[in-house]
Amino acid sequence: MKYNDAFSLFKKDYVFARLKKKAEEMKSLGKEIIDLGVGDLSLPLFKNAVEEMVKAAKSLGDKKTFTGYPPSEGLLSLRKKISESYGNANIGEDEIFISDGAKSDIGDLLELFGKGISVLIPTPSYPVYTEASVFAGNKVTFLPCLKEDDFIPRPPFGKVYDVIYLCSPNNPTGAVLSAKVLSEWINYAISVKAVILFDGAYCDFSEENEPKSIYEIKNAKYCAMEIRSFSKGFGFTGVRCGYSVIPKTLGDYNRLWKRRLSFRSNGVSVISQKGAEAYFSDEGQREVATRIKYYKNNAEIIKIALKKKNLWYNNSCSSPYVFAKTPDGFTSEEFCDFAMEKYGIIVTPCNTFGEGGEGFFRISSFPERQKILRAADVIETIK
Ligand code: PLP
């Protein structure tokens, strides 16, 4: 039997599966566990989104309104709303492709480029960029992002890559790419004919004065695709819905992706897509703002506790994660094991996000407030 060799290059379990397993072991020993590891949400779905999904399900259950497969590229009604939300960036509905979430597209879009391309990945960053690139048979180069540069990735002038992953606000560091930095990346990508895959999964967490989309920056439509999700800002981690933007000005990729979807996808659940439409109403936008505020306040509570312990953290206000330095003498994994075994707190070791994350850990602010307050109390007792 033949297996993909790439499997042997990675740890047996995806990091969160490993953390979960360990937590289960601890729980079975009767220990209290507060999970601040995985980036999953605690607030329930927005009621209007639920209503839209119920309506869609009922419509599918009625002979008169039943519809079968949706279009592979997504419902036009949802794509129109997304297109409008881009405002002056002028993204057409035929430049938008609905997905079942950002994670799938992060890997799948690589199919546009074929095997053996060179991929540049900032480190630390979301591990899926690396795993998906290696699985697709590509050559990965890491771009270190340093604490002294606020973990901002800088274009590697003088070197050439085919594809570059950028993420802002970044998971895990919380670093946000300013208009100036994005503009440098766009100029660089155009000069070396590279394509930027811009991951905006956390765009709802951006502050007013920060770019939410790469298309706010001049010429981005000539070098960048944007990947987005309804997961983090709208609570759709369980529902599953996201989208990617492939501008027509970016070579032939738009046509090719449509073609690829036609043979690899029968579309995304109509129910999910109808629920996602609720995001774009005024009430939906107010709901997103409320949810973001809740999670950001959670992050502030954690930061106060870390500050009391004199633990360094990246003071980003645009992320649901607190990216913090391990106490002296601990590697990322050692500290996370210590925090779980001694204090019952699960945090994510940031070496999981690549070498650049070694010596740091990530705390998720997605759990409910009570757990965050409890965790903050426990952090303050860490010795
Ligand atoms: N991109 C980043 C940076 C993420 O952290 C995540 C999930 O944690 C995703 C994408 C995937 O999001 P989705 O739920 O849309 O698949």
Side-chain angles (χ1 to χ4, degrees):
M1 265 178 266
K2 173 86 181 107
Y3 295 97
N4 185 338
D5 292 340
F7 280 103
S8 61
L9 299 174
F10 297 108
K11 290 190 175 165
K12 200 164 129 263
D13 292 329
Y14 188 54
V15 59
F16 298 115
R18 264 190 289 135
L19 287 171
K20 213 169 165 180
K21 214 193 268 172
K22 210 162 183 185
E24 289 307 324
E25 283 166 22
M26 302 275 298
K27 276 189 210 160
S28 69
L29 298 174
K31 297 216 167 154
E32 183 199 3
I33 296 287
I34 309 172
D35 189 350
L36 308 180
V38 69
D40 210 343
L41 313 179
S42 55
L43 294 176
L45 285 172
F46 176 38
K47 70 173 179 22
N48 294 18
V50 174
E51 278 164 21
E52 289 305 322
M53 287 193 279
V54 169
K55 237 193 271 172
K58 283 189 173 156
S59 159
L60 291 177
D62 185 330
K63 199 173 171 198
K64 290 194 287 296
T65 47
F66 172 79
T67 50
Y69 292 121
S72 306
E73 65 272 27
L75 295 179
L76 182 59
S77 51
L78 176 57
R79 288 186 288 120
K80 273 193 166 154
K81 287 187 163 66
I82 295 169
S83 164
E84 280 160 22
S85 75
Y86 272 100
N88 292 339
N90 284 327
I91 300 294
E93 59 229 23
D94 53 357
E95 296 178 299
I96 293 157
F97 299 90
I98 309 300
S99 68
D100 67 351
K103 196 177 199 172
S104 312
D105 273 2
I106 284 168
D108 291 349
L109 285 170
L110 291 171
E111 287 181 26
L112 284 168
F113 309 98
K115 270 193 177 178
I117 57 163
S118 55
V119 181
L120 183 66
I121 302 178
T123 175
S125 61
Y126 188 44
V128 178
Y129 310 143
T130 305
E131 303 208 355
S133 299
V134 173
F135 265 76
N138 297 321
K139 183 178 175 308
V140 169
T141 303
F142 293 107
L143 178 69
C145 302
L146 307 176
K147 182 167 175 271
E148 47 275 28
D149 200 13
D150 297 325
F151 296 96
I152 302 293
R154 305 283 175 183
F157 292 106
K159 295 188 178 146
V160 177
Y161 301 94
D162 297 307
V163 167
I164 300 153
Y165 281 99
L166 292 179
C167 178
S168 178
N170 181 273
N171 173 18
T173 63
V176 172
L177 302 183
S178 65
K180 184 170 176 287
V181 170
L182 281 174
S183 183
E184 284 166 15
W185 273 106
I186 289 164
N187 291 339
Y188 164 77
I190 290 174
S191 73
V192 298
K193 297 190 170 58
V195 173
I196 295 173
L197 296 182
F198 184 80
D199 182 348
Y202 295 93
C203 65
D204 290 318
F205 289 81
S206 305
E207 296 277 294
E208 276 293 301
N209 56 343
E210 296 166 347
K212 234 180 145 134
S213 161
I214 194 165
Y215 301 120
E216 289 171 34
I217 316 301
K218 198 172 157 210
N219 290 334
K221 279 174 154 184
Y222 296 96
C223 64
M225 299 180 192
E226 181 158 284
I227 304 164
R228 280 190 171 181
S229 169
F230 293 99
S231 284
K232 310 291 178 168
F234 204 46
F236 266 38
T237 49
V239 177
R240 310 305 302 144
C241 197
Y243 57 95
S244 290
V245 177
I246 307 182
K248 288 185 165 173
T249 38
L250 183 56
D252 209 15
Y253 295 118
N254 179 291
R255 182 185 68 80
L256 295 174
W257 190 243
K258 197 166 172 185
R259 180 71 188 87
R260 185 267 184 202
L261 286 178
S262 71
F263 67 85
R264 288 292 297 279
S265 165
N266 272 329
V268 173
S269 154
V270 173
I271 299 172
S272 304
Q273 295 192 65
K274 281 293 173 190
E277 286 184 20
Y279 173 98
F280 297 95
S281 65
D282 289 345
E283 282 162 300
Q285 286 300 289
R286 275 196 295 277
E287 170 72 13
V288 172
T290 307
R291 303 170 80 89
I292 299 296
K293 197 166 165 201
Y294 177 87
Y295 294 129
K296 284 190 177 183
N297 285 343
N298 277 354
E300 289 310 310
I301 293 168
I302 294 293
K303 285 180 193 172
I304 290 168
L306 291 174
K307 195 168 192 171
K308 285 190 186 158
K309 297 313 293 179
N310 274 331
L311 285 171
W312 180 91
Y313 55 86
N314 196 14
N315 198 14
S316 164
C317 297
S318 313
S319 171
Y321 303 117
V322 182
F323 181 71
K325 179 108 195 58
T326 56
D328 285 347
F330 284 97
T331 65
S332 292
E333 293 208 8
E334 282 166 3
F335 180 70
C336 294
D337 285 348
F338 168 78
M340 185 179 327
E341 280 156 22
K342 183 132 192 244
Y343 295 96
I345 291 192
I346 303 181
V347 292
T348 305
C350 284
N351 59 324
T352 319
F353 300 95
E355 262 181 40
E358 181 50 75
F360 297 90
F361 62 101
R362 188 197 76 174
I363 302 179
S364 167
S365 72
F366 282 127
E368 58 197 315
R369 180 67 45 84
Q370 235 182 340
K371 281 192 186 155
I372 293 284
L373 289 168
R374 174 91 191 92
D377 282 346
V378 175
I379 289 170
E380 287 182 27
T381 67
I382 287 182
K383 289 196 192 83

